[in-house]
Structure formats: C-alpha cells, structure tokens
C-alpha cells in the first residue's frame, strides 16, 4: 500500500474548518497529565501509576502475567493539528486491510480522536505530545483493531432477532509471549468500557492446573522438559475453562454475575498456583464481548511424525492438544492472530522484560534462566505456528479473522 502523504482537498478543507477548530477550542478535553519522561522511560506500570481507575486491574494483571512493560518511548513530538494526525492515520499498515479509506476516516475522525484520547489517558500520555512510536502504537494498531472488533460485534448481534438473549461475542487473541497481546487486550477492554459496553477479559493462563495438579503432571511425565512446568498443552484445567466460557456466554441480563478465575504466577516461588477465589474479579451482565487471549490459543494437533521431528518430547503435548478445541476454540467466534516472522523474538522480548525487572530492583530471571524458560515453548511454536498462519484455527471463518503481522518492535507491518 502506498503511504498517503496528504489529504484530498475536500477532506483537508473539512478537517481544517471543523476538526482542527474543535480541537483547538476544546484543548482542555484533550490535554492530559504529562508524565515525567523518566517515568515513561521506565518499566512495569510507572507510566500508568496516576490512573487510579485501573490500579486494581493492573495489580491483578501483575499476579497473572507479570508487570505490563512500557511500550511507549519518552521523546516528545508535537501533534500540530488534526490534519497532520489524519494523514498519519491514513498511512497505517492496517488501513487497507480493514477496509478504511481517507474518506471513511475523515467522516469518523472524531471517533478516532476520542478513542486516542482514551488510550492516552489509560497509559498516562499527553496526546498533544506523542512520539512517532507512540502515535504508531495508538493510531496504527490499538484503535484500528478496536474498530475492527466493534464491527465484529455489530455483525454478531445482527444475527439475532429483537428480544433475543444475545450472548457476548468471544474474540480470541492468539499471540506469542512477549509480543504485547496483554497490553493490547488491556487497552481494548478499557475502550469498550469507555464506550459503555460491558466486557470481560480472560487468559488461557487463568486455566492452569493448581500447584498440586502441576506436581502430578510433572511426576507422571518424568524427564519431559515440556511438561516440567506450566505452559504446554496438558498443563491446563480444561473442565474449568469449559465451565467458565459456558457461564460467560449465559451472562446476557442485568443482575447476572459471576467471578472469573485468576492465576497467581508468583506463588510457590514462581511455580504458580490458582489465585484464591476471594480475589477473583466479578463481572456482571449483560456482557457484550469477551476478550480471550493466549500464546497457544488456536493451536491444533499436527501429524505425529511432524511433531516428533521437531522434538520427540512434543508427542505427548500433541496428543493432549486433541481435547483443546472443545475446551477453548469452539467458543471463539472472531479471531485476532498476531503473526511473527521468527519465534526467536520470544526470547529477545522475554529477556528485555526480565532485564527491566532486575533494573527496577524486582526479582527477575537471569539470562540463562530466560533461555531455559523459552526453550520449553519453542518446540510448540515451531510445530504449530506455520499451520496457524496458513490455515487459521480449527473452525475459524476468514471473514472473522484478522491477522496482524508485527515486527521486532511489536508494531504492525504491511502484509506481504
């Protein structure tokens, strides 16, 4: 796609007359607390620390996944006008893929600006002083994906009649570890809430076996490094996932409530355990959307010879994977697949996160421990990602599947 460097005269004139005026005359609604650059350059949740609305969610996320790491570099770059931002939005790598045109973007520019302001508020950024990487992350990635999700919801709801109980749309996010999927889902969940929709977020991590269950799994598979720790197929409580996803689909009325299971990765010195149910968050109906994310979501079994050629230890994992469609994937109606060129990026991303944690004075794995940790996931990536990218998950519809290819910086790139 050729990058759009200027707006058409009619679009540009419209923006100049209306939207730039609106932005300049309502500066107070767009100016947000500007964080000290040293905070933005940090890690963990330092760039969100003044957002009291989501402190509990952030704390819960750290128990489940570890801290959300800063993805927005701190150097400032002024956004001089809405016209400049409009042209920047039009140059995004997902624009053509999602069916946007300069005309449709111009017509909905207020919505883009409003959502951009919400994302900046969530991450404690000043939307008038964004770096190019910050603008790219927000306007080339998070907001286009959010608008795609909104269209998926509209299509889903249009299939029901007036008066029907409409189950929430379950959107699956399949993405390798460290690529930013948790932060993406975090931002989307916030945008849904600001738009008045009720949403719920769950992860495949929430369905890990209890600590005792993990011990039994390890003891029943002696010498298999892929099942020594949580992660691969076989280390999840699939009955819990079926129960949870089934209950979420029934959350269609006001007053209906349920608690979502959560997992504490810090328990047992990092071995992990299911969090105490008293700490599980509660969601209330009617739900509009469920955001379901995981590193191996959508993986499907491969021929035994093929997986043994990748790693003989993967054979039992491949067998375990046969039961995962009924426990996870059949609930997902729309898919977002984050595609990477080389699974070795997972090691680099994990190492960056652990270094940041150590520099902050928090416990973090050594470089060697990171290498050992990631090595337990690489066989599955090598065995299952090629098929996921070419065929999609079992039962998926290409019209309801969005594949976003990202680079080593975790930003979308033009599809080949």
């Amino acid at each position: 796609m050729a990058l759009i460097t200027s707006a058409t005269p009619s679009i540009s004139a419209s923006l100049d007359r209306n939207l730039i005026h609106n932005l300049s005359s309502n500066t107070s609604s767009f100016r947000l607390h500007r964080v000290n650059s040293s905070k933005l350059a940090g890690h963990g949740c330092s760039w969100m620390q003044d957002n009291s609305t989501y402190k509990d969610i952030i704390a819960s996320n750290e128990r489940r996944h570890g801290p959300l790491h800063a993805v927005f570099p701190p150097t400032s770059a002024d956004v001089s006008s809405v016209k400049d931002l409009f042209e920047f939005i039009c140059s995004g790598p997902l624009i053509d893929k999602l069916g946007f045109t300069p005309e449709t973007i111009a017509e909905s520019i207020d919505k883009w600006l409003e959502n951009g302001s919400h994302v900046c508020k969530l991450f404690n950024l000043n939307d008038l002083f964004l770096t190019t990487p910050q603008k790219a992350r927000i306007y080339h990635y998070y907001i286009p994906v959010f608008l795609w999700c909104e269209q998926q919801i509209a299509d889903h709801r249009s299939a029901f009649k007036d008066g029907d109980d409409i189950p929430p749309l379950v959107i699956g996010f399949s993405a390798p570890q460290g690529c930013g999927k948790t932060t993406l889902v975090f931002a989307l969940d916030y945008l849904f809430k600001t738009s008045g929709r009720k949403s719920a977020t769950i992860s495949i991590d929430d369905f890990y076996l209890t600590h005792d269950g993990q011990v039994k799994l390890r003891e029943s598979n002696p010498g298999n490094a892929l099942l020594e720790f949580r992660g691969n197929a076989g280390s999840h409580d699939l009955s819990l996932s079926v129960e949870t996803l089934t209950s979420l689909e029934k959350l269609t009325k006001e007053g209906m409530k349920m608690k979502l299971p959560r997992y504490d990765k810090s328990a047992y010195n990092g071995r992990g355990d299911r969090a105490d149910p008293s700490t599980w968050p509660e969601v209330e109906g009617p739900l509009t959307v469920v955001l379901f994310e995981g590193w191996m979501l959508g993986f499907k079994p491969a021929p035994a010879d093929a997986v043994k050629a990748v790693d003989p230890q993967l054979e039992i994992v491949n067998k375990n994977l046969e039961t995962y469609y009924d426990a996870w994937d059949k609930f997902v109606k729309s898919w977002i697949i984050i595609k990477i060129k080389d699974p070795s990026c997972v090691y680099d991303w994990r190492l960056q996160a652990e270094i940041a944690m150590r520099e902050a004075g928090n416990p973090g794995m050594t470089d060697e421990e990171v290498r050992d940790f990631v090595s337990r996931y690489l066989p599955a990536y090598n065995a299952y990602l090629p098929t996921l990218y070419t065929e999609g998950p079992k039962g998926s519809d290409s019209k309801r599947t969005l594949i976003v290819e990202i680079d080593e910086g975790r930003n979308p790139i033009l599809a080949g």
Side-chain angles (χ1 to χ4, degrees):
M1 179 184 78
L3 297 184
I4 300 171
T5 56
S6 62
T8 62
S10 60
I11 296 173
S12 177
S14 174
L15 289 166
D16 287 337
R17 284 196 308 270
N18 301 319
L19 301 174
I20 296 176
H21 172 74
N22 290 343
L23 181 62
S24 60
S25 63
N26 293 284
T27 304
S28 61
S29 66
F30 286 88
R31 289 190 181 278
L32 302 169
H33 173 68
R34 190 175 183 186
V35 198
N36 184 289
S37 62
S38 64
K39 292 181 181 178
L40 286 178
H43 44 267
C45 299
S46 59
W47 40 278
M48 291 188 237
Q49 64 182 23
D50 293 329
N51 190 338
S52 58
T53 304
Y54 264 49
K55 279 185 177 179
D56 292 342
I57 296 177
I58 294 168
S60 173
N61 180 80
E62 291 187 353
R63 288 193 296 273
R64 295 165 65 201
H65 305 285
L68 291 171
H69 293 276
V71 292
F72 302 112
T75 307
S76 295
D78 289 353
V79 179
S80 59
S81 70
V82 174
K83 178 182 173 183
D84 291 343
L85 184 55
F86 165 78
E87 293 171 355
F88 184 83
I89 291 170
C90 289
S91 73
L94 296 179
I95 294 302
D96 275 357
K97 188 169 192 173
L98 298 181
F100 294 114
T101 65
E103 289 75 19
T104 60
I105 292 172
E107 291 170 0
S108 60
I109 192 67
D110 283 335
K111 190 169 186 177
W112 286 80
L113 290 172
E114 181 182 9
N115 287 323
S117 182
H118 288 318
V119 174
C120 288
K121 182 177 182 180
L122 174 64
F123 293 125
N124 222 1
L125 300 172
N126 187 326
D127 54 359
L128 297 182
F129 295 93
L130 296 173
T131 67
T132 297
Q134 289 166 357
K135 286 195 294 181
R137 183 59 55 88
I138 295 169
Y139 292 103
H140 286 178
Y141 193 4
Y142 292 171
I143 295 177
V145 170
F146 172 68
L147 296 176
W148 182 86
C149 290
E150 283 208 315
Q151 184 59 54
Q152 291 294 305
I153 291 171
D155 293 344
H156 168 72
R157 297 180 73 84
S158 69
F160 294 86
K161 299 177 182 178
D162 290 342
D164 286 350
D165 283 343
I166 303 178
L169 173 66
V170 180
I171 303 178
F173 296 77
S174 181
Q177 298 147 308
C179 75
K181 67 179 178 299
T182 301
T183 309
L184 170 63
V185 169
F186 183 74
L188 295 176
D189 182 54
Y190 184 74
L191 286 173
F192 282 122
K193 286 177 169 57
T194 60
S195 67
R197 299 181 186 272
K198 290 185 178 180
S199 58
T201 64
I202 52 174
S203 166
I204 64 172
D205 295 357
D206 296 324
F207 304 128
Y208 279 136
L209 295 170
T210 62
H211 178 262
D212 290 343
Q214 292 173 40
V215 171
K216 293 177 182 177
L217 177 69
R218 182 166 60 250
E219 291 176 346
S220 62
N221 294 274
N224 191 323
L226 304 185
L227 294 174
E228 186 177 358
F229 301 109
R230 64 179 186 267
N232 283 291
S235 64
H236 300 89
D237 184 341
L238 299 187
S239 61
L240 177 63
S241 68
V242 171
E243 177 186 347
T244 301
L245 289 162
T246 301
S247 297
L248 281 170
E249 286 192 330
K250 295 178 180 177
L251 222 59
T252 60
K253 292 184 173 65
E254 292 281 353
M256 299 178 70
K257 299 178 181 180
M258 65 173 288
K259 286 197 168 187
L260 297 177
R262 290 296 187 248
Y263 191 82
D264 183 359
K265 290 185 176 180
S266 66
Y268 289 93
N269 296 317
R271 290 277 185 172
D273 196 6
R274 191 167 299 154
D276 189 300
S278 66
T279 68
W280 294 1
E282 186 175 70
V283 291
E284 181 177 353
L287 284 183
T288 300
V289 62
V290 174
L291 308 177
F292 184 20
E293 57 103 340
W295 73 274
M296 55 170 283
L297 199 62
F299 284 11
K300 50 191 176 186
D305 290 345
V307 297
K308 283 192 288 186
V310 173
D311 188 330
Q313 299 180 106
L314 200 59
E315 186 174 12
I316 183 63
V317 172
N318 192 60
K319 184 68 176 176
N320 293 337
L321 196 56
E322 293 177 0
T323 58
Y324 274 60
Y325 171 79
D326 286 334
W328 289 355
D329 298 348
K330 76 174 185 181
F331 292 93
V332 178
K333 306 306 178 186
S334 296
W335 287 90
I336 294 176
I337 297 172
I338 309 301
K339 180 180 178 181
I340 59 175
K341 288 185 176 180
D342 185 353
S344 65
C345 286
V346 174
Y347 169 75
D348 296 329
W349 289 332
R350 185 71 192 203
L351 186 61
Q352 292 169 11
E354 295 298 326
I355 290 173
M357 290 176 67
R358 297 200 301 261
E359 289 179 347
N362 299 318
M365 289 188 285
T366 66
D367 293 5
E368 186 56 39
E369 287 172 336
V370 171
R371 190 176 302 278
D372 176 69
F373 175 82
V374 174
S375 71
R376 301 170 192 272
Y377 296 88
L378 285 178
Y381 285 133
N382 291 326
Y384 304 119
L385 282 182
T387 303
L388 178 69
Y389 295 157
T390 57
E391 299 179 3
K394 179 181 176 181
S396 61
D397 181 347
S398 60
K399 295 180 180 179
R400 302 188 71 93
T401 302
L402 173 63
I403 298 179
V404 179
E405 186 170 352
I406 62 172
D407 58 21
E408 293 181 359
R410 306 177 181 90
N411 290 310
I413 57 178
L414 287 171

